[in-house]
Amino acid sequence: MSQVDRIGISLPPELLHTFDAHIRQHGYDNRSEAIRDIIRDYLVEQQWQDESAPVVGTVTLVYDHHTRQLEATLTDVQHEHHEAIQCTTHVHLDAHNCLEVIVVKGTSAQVRAIADRLIALRGVKHGKVVCTGTGENLT
Ligand code: NI
């Protein structure tokens, strides 16, 4: 951080007390860093609201690899969107279950559509997309 602007915020004491307790619990040393993270999170969230904004998402899937056709379909969907799929990590959790984390980069609408399609596949036990930004416009 090369330069900072200082601002003052007025808050009800109870709100500030709750906030301080919360950020302490999450390991923040000071309010400034916690507030910076909250602002960045808000900005990334806004980015995701804009369907044409460039974003990055990680799609986490847990599935039973014995489910008929599922692994082939997962691979097909990823090849269909090879320009957006950055990489995939596969973990064999036990004799039946697999974890797959797929990094998807594209417009917000595109990443959401690919994530929805993967998560909705029959045999996926749990799926979740974590939405983040490309780091641009965030300091
Ligand atoms: Ni596996």
Side-chain angles (χ1 to χ4, degrees), residues 7-11 35:
I7 56 164
I9 311 172
S10 307
L11 293 173
I35 290 169

Side-chain angles (χ1 to χ4, degrees), residues 71 90-92 98:
E71 286 200 317
H90 186 104
V91 179
H92 309 300
C98 301

Side-chain angles (χ1 to χ4, degrees), residues 58-98:
T58 52
V59 184
T60 300
L61 305 171
V62 172
Y63 62 90
D64 186 334
H65 81 270
H66 298 300
T67 305
R68 231 176 84 82
Q69 277 297 309
L70 179 56
E71 286 200 317
T73 310
L74 277 173
T75 306
D76 285 348
V77 172
Q78 293 182 61
H79 276 278
E80 254 174 62
H81 300 284
H82 62 88
E83 78 295 338
I85 307 291
Q86 305 299 301
C87 70
T88 302
T89 296
H90 186 104
V91 179
H92 309 300
L93 292 173
D94 57 31
H96 311 284
N97 294 295
C98 301

Side-chain angles (χ1 to χ4, degrees), residues 35-49 138:
I35 290 169
R36 279 194 287 271
D37 277 357
I38 290 167
I39 291 173
R40 291 183 192 117
D41 193 45
Y42 173 80
L43 292 173
V44 167
E45 218 173 280
Q46 292 307 303
Q47 222 173 330
W48 274 83
Q49 302 303 315
L138 292 179

